Amino acid sequence: MQLMRNATEVSRRSFIAGAAMAGVAATLGLAGCAPQGERNEATAQGSNTKWSEECDVLVVGSGYTGLAAAIEAKSAGADVKVIEKANRAGGNSSLAAGDFAVCNSSVQEREGVQDSIDQYVDDMMVAGLYLNDRDKCRMIAEKSNETWEWTIEMGATWAKNDDGEYFLYPYGGHTVMRSIAQGEGGGANVTGPFVAKLEEMGVEIETKRMLTELVKDDSGRVIGAIVHDKPNGNDAESGTPVAIKANKAVVLASGGFGRDLEFRMAQDPRLDDSVDCTNQEGATAESLRAAVAAGAMAVHTDWIQLLPFMSPDEQGYGVAAFYTDGQASYAPTLNAATGKRIVNELTDRKRYADAILETGQPCVQITCKKALYDNGSGLEDALAAGIATEFSSIEEAAEHYGMPVDAVKAEIDRYNTFVANKTDEDFGKPIPEDAQSIDEAPFYGVRLWPKVHHCMGGVKTDLECRALDMNLKVIPGLYVAGEAAGGIHGACRLGSCATADCLVNGRIAGQNAAKEQAV
Ligand SMILES: Cc1cc2nc3c(=O)[nH]c(=O)nc-3n(C[C@H](O)[C@H](O)[C@H](O)COP(=O)(O)OP(=O)(O)OC[C@H]3O[C@@H](n4cnc5c(N)ncnc54)[C@H](O)[C@@H]3O)c2cc1C
């Protein structure tokens, strides 16, 4: 698969698409589209594209990023169009657990957690192996709290505990508790209300519309896009091509490419079809290809995150993670062949996933009821789905998974001494004050094998979320944010930092797109 296409080819393809557009426009009669002014026709002539629709800001994608961008752009007075290739709004965002890493929140203050912008940024950098864009990490940390509060103003809801208060959730790689829990319903508790908010503002999500190409004018400014209506799945050649003019800017909020087998294997050949993926079916790379073809620089595309605590006994995201990374998030993970622990189970996802992969077969997470995390959930669903299994003893669990029984018993005994002494001598995992030893039935076991989860790579952007070209110069008229942007998280995104990234940068992209001078 060819990643790079030069600008000449873009113009040529735009021309071909433009020729097709003439017919489309005639058929559609421009019904329902804003009237085209003299200036727009002149621009369209310049790029050989016959526009059939227009708007000020064209937002591509309807996850956290696109919805946040659209709300901001519309609030700033822009005429906004949101296109979405799936037949429903929400993307991965609406499937996500949805927890949000927020720095210096009122929830941290209430729970007495000391945090700082520097500490948040440092945590992201450590997980990202210092490959991250530090300034962007800082922006996310600084704006995380005002953005979380803004989501509530926009109608989003967040989980509350029995006292009716928002609460924090532990996440690997964060040195303090800062992730505000989303709870039942997950990311849809944000995307649903945001879609409703946009409807209220007069913006519909236009589903089954796939961006395949960006159109630039002679000065190199992005002035619109070729969009295929009613495509067949992710086939960028299918559907009816339509040219949409974006007078101010195009915002690419099209997410990652975890489901694009061919594209992801070109970045990381290990990620073939034997490695499952947590993403929705539409997480493919055609809009990244379009951005690169328009001259954008793609960075870090081979840093593809695997989620470690996934079950090989179900497909996709499934139900396992709500338990393995929820109620059981402190539990020890054992090498199935040796019965030994393999890692600090609260480390970042890369180190955790790499440690599991290195064993060459699914590992086993073992814990017991009294050691489960109080504020978590997921056990019942995992048991019902046959992902988790209940046992009356450690021996029974070890036998069930074909593990060396004595070694497993010895390892759990050793782990229990770490819990008692509050010191993990083997891997340095922080042991909470109220941690419980694993020594009382019922016991639970789950097999773990990583799945493709998040793309750290994408389009290089500046702090304003403007796309940058191969010379790190701004491509006028093109904004990129959320998982479609690359380089922010470096080698590994911390859990709950994607929500922060997408919402913070989605808002920035929308605000700045609306400020652009119309062409
Ligand atoms: C199961 C799951 C659980 C997660 N849990 C968490 C969590 O708890 N905390 C956290 O921080 N992160 C979490 N993440 C990661 C996070 O949710 C995602 O990184 C984030 O939702 C991405 O948002 P986005 O708006 O950039 O993209 P998305 O939400 O994926 O939206 C992109 C949209 O663009 C559409 N699109 C793509 N290409 C085109 C095109 N060419 N034309 C038109 N439309 C297009 C897609 O169909 C999609 O609807 C999770 C991810 C998954 C999959």
Side-chain angles (χ1 to χ4, degrees):
M1 181 179 308
Q2 204 182 351
L3 189 61
M4 299 288 295
R5 291 190 324 200
N6 64 31
T8 321
E9 193 184 350
V10 175
S11 313
R12 192 179 63 79
R13 288 205 49 187
S14 300
F15 176 78
I16 295 166
M21 280 309 88
V24 173
T27 316
L28 294 177
L30 293 175
C33 304
Q36 303 218 40
E38 290 281 315
R39 188 192 56 213
N40 295 334
E41 277 174 12
T43 314
Q45 294 301 327
S47 68
N48 295 315
T49 301
K50 183 106 179 145
W51 305 106
S52 48
E53 297 172 36
E54 74 172 309
C55 57
D56 289 336
V57 176
L58 176 64
V59 176
V60 181
S62 65
Y64 292 143
T65 314
L67 296 172
I71 291 174
E72 288 291 6
K74 183 70 185 173
S75 302
D79 173 21
V80 176
K81 225 177 216 313
V82 183
I83 59 161
E84 164 57 58
K85 75 173 172 184
N87 57 11
R88 60 159 189 96
N92 275 340
S93 305
S94 61
L95 307 178
D99 304 321
F100 186 161
V102 179
C103 188
N104 296 332
S105 68
S106 53
V107 190
Q108 284 182 316
E109 194 182 340
R110 196 195 68 232
E111 297 198 1
V113 178
Q114 282 290 329
D115 199 0
S116 72
I117 302 294
D118 285 341
Q119 194 170 343
Y120 189 118
V121 173
D122 284 349
D123 288 350
M124 289 182 80
M125 301 292 297
V126 168
L129 301 180
Y130 296 91
L131 300 175
N132 323 48
D133 182 330
R134 185 184 278 276
D135 292 340
K136 290 212 120 182
C137 293
R138 195 163 188 88
M139 179 72 90
I140 292 168
E142 282 174 354
K143 290 194 175 285
S144 57
N145 187 47
E146 67 180 62
T147 298
W148 175 63
E149 290 176 352
W150 174 82
T151 67
I152 297 168
E153 280 167 40
M154 294 301 115
T157 57
W158 298 85
K160 292 189 175 168
N161 60 20
D162 292 343
D163 298 327
E165 290 177 317
Y166 299 121
F167 61 93
L168 302 173
Y169 207 72
Y171 261 91
H174 290 277
T175 50
V176 294
M177 294 269 274
R178 60 165 73 98
S179 306
I180 296 182
Q182 180 45 266
E184 208 156 310
N189 295 330
V190 174
T191 57
F194 278 19
V195 169
K197 182 79 192 170
L198 280 166
E199 268 170 21
E200 207 181 289
M201 298 169 97
V203 180
E204 296 286 329
I205 311 301
E206 300 175 17
T207 54
K208 297 190 187 170
R209 308 196 83 183
M210 178 196 282
L211 173 130
T212 57
E213 196 161 345
L214 291 161
V215 180
K216 290 166 98 174
D217 67 12
D218 295 339
S219 74
R221 183 189 177 97
V222 170
I223 53 166
I226 305 300
V227 170
H228 284 222
D229 275 346
K230 297 196 172 55
N232 181 13
N234 296 314
D235 180 359
E237 302 294 325
S238 66
T240 310
V242 177
I244 303 179
K245 175 91 169 36
N247 293 323
K248 293 188 170 203
V250 173
V251 177
L252 276 191
S254 43
F257 53 82
R259 281 276 175 196
D260 200 318
L261 189 63
E262 196 183 22
F263 191 88
R264 84 181 192 210
M265 281 184 68
Q267 320 306 315
D268 184 342
R270 297 170 307 164
L271 303 181
D272 60 18
D273 59 5
S274 69
V275 184
D276 198 359
C277 177
T278 64
N279 292 192
Q280 54 108 7
E281 290 299 325
T284 51
E286 68 282 340
S287 63
L288 175 55
R289 288 191 193 95
V292 169
M297 180 193 277
V299 292
H300 293 190
T301 48
D302 52 352
W303 286 109
I304 298 173
Q305 180 174 93
L306 300 173
L307 207 53
F309 35 76
M310 304 307 290
S311 165
D313 301 318
E314 63 178 344
Q315 289 193 327
Y317 195 70
V319 297
F322 293 101
Y323 166 69
T324 54
D325 190 40
Q327 273 171 301
S329 53
Y330 286 116
T333 295
L334 308 181
N335 181 325
T338 64
K340 294 277 191 194
R341 275 176 77 213
I342 56 165
V343 72
N344 159 10
E345 293 84 1
L346 288 186
T347 188
D348 63 72
R349 292 166 174 182
K350 176 162 175 50
R351 288 177 176 85
Y352 197 170
D354 284 352
I356 296 174
L357 289 175
E358 214 175 295
T359 72
Q361 62 179 310
C363 290
V364 181
Q365 184 193 55
I366 292 183
T367 189
C368 71
K369 186 162 197 159
K370 82 168 203 214
L372 295 177
Y373 177 61
D374 281 349
N375 272 332
S377 62
L379 174 63
E380 279 171 23
D381 288 344
L383 286 169
I387 306 304
T389 308
E390 185 175 315
F391 303 102
S392 57
S393 66
I394 301 272
E395 290 87 333
E396 192 191 350
E399 274 165 15
H400 176 86
Y401 295 111
M403 299 167 78
V405 175
D406 290 344
V408 172
K409 278 178 64 186
E411 189 69 354
I412 297 288
D413 285 347
R414 180 173 170 77
Y415 181 77
N416 286 340
T417 64
F418 298 164
V419 171
N421 299 332
K422 303 280 172 275
T423 307
D424 175 1
E425 289 174 22
D426 289 342
F427 296 104
K429 177 167 75 171
I431 308 279
E433 273 307 307
D434 56 354
Q436 301 289 319
S437 52
I438 300 168
D439 55 7
E440 202 177 290
F443 296 90
Y444 304 106
V446 175
R447 299 198 315 148
L448 301 184
W449 191 246
K451 295 182 182 179
V452 169
H453 185 58
H454 189 90
C455 298
M456 272 74 69
V459 174
K460 177 81 179 161
T461 54
D462 66 7
L463 280 175
E464 313 291 319
C465 295
R466 297 176 297 189
L468 301 180
D469 70 12
M470 292 301 283
N471 296 311
L472 295 169
K473 297 270 184 293
V474 169
I475 300 176
L478 182 60
Y479 289 80
V480 185
E483 205 174 324
I488 297 164
H489 301 277
C492 175
R493 166 181 72 76
L494 276 183
S496 72
C497 279
T499 310
D501 172 10
C502 294
L503 290 168
V504 166
N505 285 308
R507 293 184 73 196
I508 292 173
Q511 288 160 359
N512 290 331
K515 281 187 210 148
E516 289 277 351
Q517 202 65 34
V519 290

